[in-house]
Structures are given as structure tokens and as C-alpha cells.
Amino acid sequence: MDLETFYEYCLSKKGVTEHFPFDQDILVFKVGGKIFALSSLKQWELGKPSVNLKCNPDLAKEWRAQFEAIQPGYHMNKNHWNTVVLSSE
């Protein structure tokens, strides 16, 4: 996945808005004023893309156990957030 695909996918969802509430690096997507996805643009540029995604706590743990690329949310509440490490290919 590339940044453009991630960006377009998020914006294609109903009611989604994009923001930079922290700085000009962290791209945040919200629906209904609530964050559901965020990612560092700098990390995409460095070839180390990852995305923090909000999810159901039970599923979050299950997915971490199943997939090596899914880890507890980086700098986030580990019960509600997963970080998905994406391939830069």
C-alpha cells in the first residue's frame, strides 16, 4: 500500500475528515469528530509506513496474536488501538 491509496481509502468513507491536530507530520482521520486512523507522513517518506487504527479491544488482541505486522498502538491506548506496519512495496 502507498500513502495515496491509504489517504484515498480513508477519505472515501462516509463523513470522514482529515486533520493535522498535533503537527504537520501526523495525518489524522476522523468521523463524527472521533479519530479512527492516524499516520506519520515522515515515516512514509522514510519507507517505514505504519498506521494506527482504532478497533474493538477483543479484536485488537486477537489480530495481534494472528499477524506479526499488527502491534499494540504506538503512543496510544493499547486496549483500543493497533499499529499496522505496512510494506513500502
Side-chain angles (χ1 to χ4, degrees):
M1 175 178 285
D2 61 26
L3 179 57
E4 184 176 347
T5 302
F6 166 69
Y7 179 83
E8 289 175 1
Y9 178 79
C10 288
L11 283 183
S12 73
K13 301 301 176 186
K14 185 176 180 178
V16 171
T17 56
E18 65 173 291
H19 305 270
F20 287 91
F22 308 113
D23 56 31
Q24 292 302 307
D25 177 42
I26 306 299
L27 174 60
V28 171
F29 292 97
K30 295 181 180 183
V31 77
K34 303 259 184 186
I35 298 173
F36 72 91
L38 56 113
S39 188
S40 165
L41 298 179
K42 184 176 183 178
Q43 292 303 308
W44 285 87
E45 291 172 4
L46 294 173
K48 302 178 204 174
S50 66
V51 178
N52 283 1
L53 299 171
K54 191 160 192 183
C55 50
N56 173 295
D58 294 328
L59 288 175
K61 292 175 187 173
E62 181 180 328
W63 290 337
R64 288 178 210 152
Q66 287 182 359
F67 303 101
E68 187 176 320
I70 300 178
Q71 304 164 358
Y74 181 71
H75 284 300
M76 306 297 281
N77 180 321
K78 310 295 188 232
N79 291 320
H80 297 277
W81 289 87
N82 276 341
T83 295
V84 180
V85 178
L86 303 168
S87 171
S88 59
E89 300 173 2

